Amino acid sequence: MQDNTPWLFIHVMKTAGTSFRAYVEEIAPSQVFPSKSDRERTGGNYMGALQFLTSLSSGTIKPDSTPYMFGHFPAWMSDKVDPSWRVATVLREPVARTVSMLGHHNARLGAKYSDLRDLLLDDNFRKNNLENYQTKVFGAEPDHITSANDQHICTEETYEAALERIGRFDMVGLTEEISQTVDRWHEVTDLPRGEFPHFNKAKPREIDTELRDAILPYVQLDLRFYDTVKSTIAVNHLST
């Protein structure tokens, strides 16, 4: 029987987190924050980190009744909630995540670009949403970023901080190993099972070589971060 200990899910953009949230909501529709109707009211956007903490403090968000809480939060949020909370996330191979982010952004622009490499020339978009993005999300501190999409130049110190922080998470999944990730989720939450929704399964080998080469200079720390987590932390979380 599930114990309803609150879970904070750090949803990294373009890592199948939306599908994961929808999956949990299908199983436990009244226990997920934000609900589908919450997101419809905000145009699909998540609440910001500072607003979330304020709402939590004021009692607007009630983790006793909605114990599964999702957001595009910087991972320092895991240090700000009650220590009894458990924390989960899913990572994705960095080049594949970047290509997915480029495609998502291009779709929002009305498919303006036939060559996704052109989007890399947009300094703000690249720095906000692409450059060593997963390292930034997990390693940047509150005095660096208040939003996961704030700009921050990642350094070796950021990389080390990211590994230390994610090492304290209760569940670390991988988009490329979503079946094992879902299995592990059920082990740690004791929720009943459902059918995981469709999500895009782009793999690095399917990515155009020229696009991959254009992306690589911007994700060097992310590649190290992902490979280290995959070979150490995630393998321990997902092995059965």
Side-chain angles (χ1 to χ4, degrees), residues 1 5 37 61 66 71 76 98 111-112 120 123 127 138 140 149 156 172 187 201 204 211 223 225 233:
M1 186 173 181
T5 300
S37 58
I61 297 174
T66 56
W76 56 251
T98 303
K112 178 180 178 180
L120 295 171
D123 283 351
K127 291 175 181 178
F138 290 94
N149 293 334
E156 194 69 24
V172 179
E187 289 177 5
K201 296 183 178 180
L211 178 57
L223 288 166
F225 177 61
I233 297 166

Side-chain angles (χ1 to χ4, degrees), residues 98-114:
T98 303
V99 172
S100 183
M101 191 71 237
L102 288 168
H104 175 74
H105 187 58
N106 195 35
R108 296 183 69 178
L109 296 174
K112 178 180 178 180
Y113 297 94
S114 59

Side-chain angles (χ1 to χ4, degrees), residues 70-156:
F70 290 74
H72 286 151
F73 301 131
W76 56 251
M77 281 281 286
S78 62
D79 304 327
K80 301 296 183 182
V81 298
D82 190 284
S84 67
W85 287 27
R86 291 174 287 187
V87 191
T89 196
V90 176
L91 299 185
R92 185 174 182 180
E93 193 283 325
V95 175
R97 193 210 78 88
T98 303
V99 172
S100 183
M101 191 71 237
L102 288 168
H104 175 74
H105 187 58
N106 195 35
R108 296 183 69 178
L109 296 174
K112 178 180 178 180
Y113 297 94
S114 59
D115 188 339
L116 293 180
R117 289 178 298 172
D118 292 338
L119 282 168
L120 295 171
L121 302 177
D122 182 336
D123 283 351
N124 283 331
F125 171 64
R126 191 185 70 246
K127 291 175 181 178
N128 292 349
N129 300 100
L130 305 180
E131 289 187 8
N132 291 312
Y133 186 82
Q134 293 177 95
T135 306
K136 176 184 71 172
V137 167
F138 290 94
E141 303 296 340
D143 58 342
H144 298 149
I145 60 173
T146 58
S147 163
N149 293 334
D150 287 346
Q151 294 184 18
H152 178 66
I153 298 174
C154 292
T155 64
E156 194 69 24

